[in-house]
Amino acid sequence: MKLSLFAAALSFVASASAEVYFKEQFDDAWKDRWTVASDWKSKSELGEWEHTAGEWHADADDKGIKTSQDARFYGLSAPMGKTFNSSDKKDLVIQYSVKHEQKIDCGGAYIKLLPGGDKFESTKFGGDTPYGVMFGPDICGSSNKRTHVIFHYDKKDDNLLIKKNVNCEDNQLSHLYTLVLRPDNTFEVFVDNKSVRSGKLDEEFDFLPAKEIKDPDQSKPDDWVDEREIVDPEDVKPEGYDDIPAEIPDPDAEKPDDWDDEDDGEWEPPMVDNPDFKGPWSPKMIPNPEYKGAWVHPMIPNPEYEYDEEMYAVCKEGCTHVGFELWQVKSGTIFDDIIVTDSLEEAQKFAEETFFKKKDGEKDMFDAVVKKNKEEAEAAMADADVDEEDFDDMDMMGDEF
């Protein structure tokens, strides 16, 4: 009991000292805080956001925002309450929920953390807008399903993708995505509060050049033998080998009794494969007594390699906005319960108050909807079968008359 109380006390202290830079639960005033990227694409290309709890939910009044039009771009951003600056050397935690009610086939559902401050142009926010972090699920087809983890790296002026695949959920229920970026140059990804990928930035991303390179002053010696086998010098092609035909007349064939040489021409037996024909001759191969193995290029330390203690610093000039910049073929994704903080414990606490509080109720309603839809489909099929039987009976009656 003492240990549990101590752990609870630690959790309280961590929560009390946590900094929350942004929190969004999409109440009725959400449009006052978010700006549509109306200057990014034409009006006909931009999809409308719908404020809804969705078709299945635990609470109809607890709403998120939903993509509502197929084959549209979606651009939306909001300023954070506080600026996150990597120079503070704090953990960066980004968390939000995603629900693909539409059985998504192709579309993004990732969130971006953006710099810009007062100069950030919300109405022009789009795919070319610089960002510090891009994180979240992206699905297109059955083989392309991943959770993007992309960090901007100032030294390369590039956005670096994680090298290993991070799986994502594609069913029709809500799922919680959490990213932690730490000032010790490590990261971790959680889905539904379960760790699915973690590691060091220099190992999982291309932040740094290789530690070793091939020695430019070394090359394979001219006399290096890397052929495992050679032709057997004692193997000689048998005399007459090339005279053996690939096919021979079938020895079992007999001229048909009704064959007429005058009318049908001279009879010739059909040809069959020659069992003595072995194909083109090739000499035997034997182990090469001078074989030295595969030549391995010597490696040397890369003079351009230098460890960077600040790979984690994706917001060197401060990240001030969050945003969604998406393309969806089939709309119907709902976003909710966003938090940006410097404490994983704070994010988990927020998840308990939101995502996990609603999770079971949403699943129960989803199951009920699926069951109802199935029963209605079966009833419709039964009615169709009855109608077809009635039609067949009428045909039979017509035949009688």
Side-chain angles (χ1 to χ4, degrees), residues 312-367:
Y312 72 92
V314 296
C315 296
K316 277 189 175 181
E317 298 181 2
C319 288
T320 58
H321 288 71
V322 297
F324 296 101
E325 170 268 311
L326 313 169
W327 162 261
Q328 289 201 335
V329 175
K330 191 175 181 180
S331 64
T333 300
I334 299 177
F335 302 93
D336 201 2
D337 301 327
I338 308 170
I339 186 171
V340 180
T341 178
D342 60 5
S343 166
L344 178 60
E345 290 79 9
E346 180 68 21
Q348 290 173 332
K349 179 175 176 249
F350 182 60
E352 291 295 336
E353 296 169 352
T354 55
F355 174 78
F356 288 104
K357 184 179 179 180
K358 298 179 284 186
K359 183 172 179 286
D360 292 341
E362 178 189 301
K363 179 64 164 60
D364 290 343
M365 187 173 182
F366 173 76
D367 290 342

Side-chain angles (χ1 to χ4, degrees), residues 138-202:
D138 190 15
I139 296 171
C140 198
S142 59
S143 60
N144 188 5
K145 300 177 182 180
R146 68 189 62 180
T147 298
H148 280 305
V149 184
I150 305 176
F151 298 125
H152 183 76
Y153 190 40
D154 283 343
K155 288 188 176 181
K156 288 188 174 183
D157 191 23
D158 198 6
N159 301 316
L160 307 181
L161 286 68
I162 191 168
K163 291 186 285 188
K164 296 179 181 177
N165 191 52
V166 183
N167 293 330
C168 68
E169 299 290 342
D170 63 350
N171 60 37
Q172 294 173 272
L173 297 171
S174 292
H175 292 282
L176 188 73
Y177 291 85
T178 309
L179 170 66
V180 183
L181 178 61
R182 303 184 179 94
D184 63 356
N185 283 332
T186 63
F187 76 100
E188 191 164 10
V189 177
F190 298 81
V191 177
D192 295 342
N193 212 23
K194 296 178 182 177
S195 180
V196 295
R197 180 73 69 198
S198 62
K200 298 179 180 179
L201 294 180
D202 57 313

Side-chain angles (χ1 to χ4, degrees), residues 97 106 109 219 231 236 321 341-342 384:
S97 70
C106 189
S219 59
V231 173
V236 179
H321 288 71
T341 178
D342 60 5

Side-chain angles (χ1 to χ4, degrees), residues 99-383:
K99 177 167 58 165
H100 295 304
E101 284 196 339
Q102 74 277 45
K103 290 185 178 180
I104 189 167
D105 53 0
C106 189
Y110 38 81
I111 194 169
K112 289 183 175 181
L113 189 63
L114 307 142
D118 294 336
K119 296 181 179 179
F120 185 81
E121 297 181 286
S122 299
T123 60
K124 295 182 179 179
F125 165 55
D128 295 330
T129 304
Y131 62 85
V133 180
M134 175 172 152
F135 169 64
D138 190 15
I139 296 171
C140 198
S142 59
S143 60
N144 188 5
K145 300 177 182 180
R146 68 189 62 180
T147 298
H148 280 305
V149 184
I150 305 176
F151 298 125
H152 183 76
Y153 190 40
D154 283 343
K155 288 188 176 181
K156 288 188 174 183
D157 191 23
D158 198 6
N159 301 316
L160 307 181
L161 286 68
I162 191 168
K163 291 186 285 188
K164 296 179 181 177
N165 191 52
V166 183
N167 293 330
C168 68
E169 299 290 342
D170 63 350
N171 60 37
Q172 294 173 272
L173 297 171
S174 292
H175 292 282
L176 188 73
Y177 291 85
T178 309
L179 170 66
V180 183
L181 178 61
R182 303 184 179 94
D184 63 356
N185 283 332
T186 63
F187 76 100
E188 191 164 10
V189 177
F190 298 81
V191 177
D192 295 342
N193 212 23
K194 296 178 182 177
S195 180
V196 295
R197 180 73 69 198
S198 62
K200 298 179 180 179
L201 294 180
D202 57 313
E203 294 177 356
E204 303 290 339
F205 298 81
D206 288 327
F207 278 92
L208 308 176
K211 290 183 179 181
E212 292 186 320
I213 60 172
K214 293 179 179 180
D215 186 348
D217 296 327
Q218 297 287 335
S219 59
K220 185 170 70 172
D222 294 337
D223 60 351
W224 188 273
V225 179
D226 52 12
E227 295 177 336
R228 289 179 176 271
E229 295 181 320
I230 59 172
V231 173
D232 184 352
E234 298 181 1
D235 189 25
V236 179
K237 181 165 62 174
E239 185 177 352
Y241 187 91
D242 292 337
D243 297 330
I244 300 174
E247 294 183 326
I248 59 173
D250 185 353
D252 296 326
E254 295 181 359
K255 181 179 178 180
D257 294 337
D258 59 352
W259 187 274
D260 189 323
D261 289 342
E262 292 184 2
D263 293 335
D264 301 325
E266 184 179 355
W267 179 81
E268 294 181 357
M271 304 298 284
V272 296
D273 292 338
N274 185 354
D276 294 329
F277 181 72
K278 305 301 182 185
W281 184 84
S282 59
K284 295 179 182 177
M285 303 298 289
I286 60 172
N288 188 350
E290 297 183 8
Y291 174 66
K292 295 182 178 181
W295 185 76
V296 179
H297 202 128
M299 305 294 286
I300 60 171
N302 186 354
E304 297 183 0
Y305 175 81
E306 181 181 0
Y307 188 80
D308 184 2
E309 297 287 351
E310 296 187 344
M311 287 179 283
Y312 72 92
V314 296
C315 296
K316 277 189 175 181
E317 298 181 2
C319 288
T320 58
H321 288 71
V322 297
F324 296 101
E325 170 268 311
L326 313 169
W327 162 261
Q328 289 201 335
V329 175
K330 191 175 181 180
S331 64
T333 300
I334 299 177
F335 302 93
D336 201 2
D337 301 327
I338 308 170
I339 186 171
V340 180
T341 178
D342 60 5
S343 166
L344 178 60
E345 290 79 9
E346 180 68 21
Q348 290 173 332
K349 179 175 176 249
F350 182 60
E352 291 295 336
E353 296 169 352
T354 55
F355 174 78
F356 288 104
K357 184 179 179 180
K358 298 179 284 186
K359 183 172 179 286
D360 292 341
E362 178 189 301
K363 179 64 164 60
D364 290 343
M365 187 173 182
F366 173 76
D367 290 342
V369 170
V370 171
K371 181 180 179 182
K372 180 182 178 182
N373 290 342
K374 182 180 179 182
E375 290 173 348
E376 290 177 349
E378 291 174 346
M381 290 180 64
D383 290 342

Side-chain angles (χ1 to χ4, degrees), residues 387-401:
D387 291 342
E388 186 174 344
E389 289 176 4
D390 291 343
F391 184 78
D392 290 342
D393 290 343
M394 292 177 66
D395 279 349
M396 291 178 65
M397 290 174 63
D399 292 341
E400 291 177 2
F401 291 100

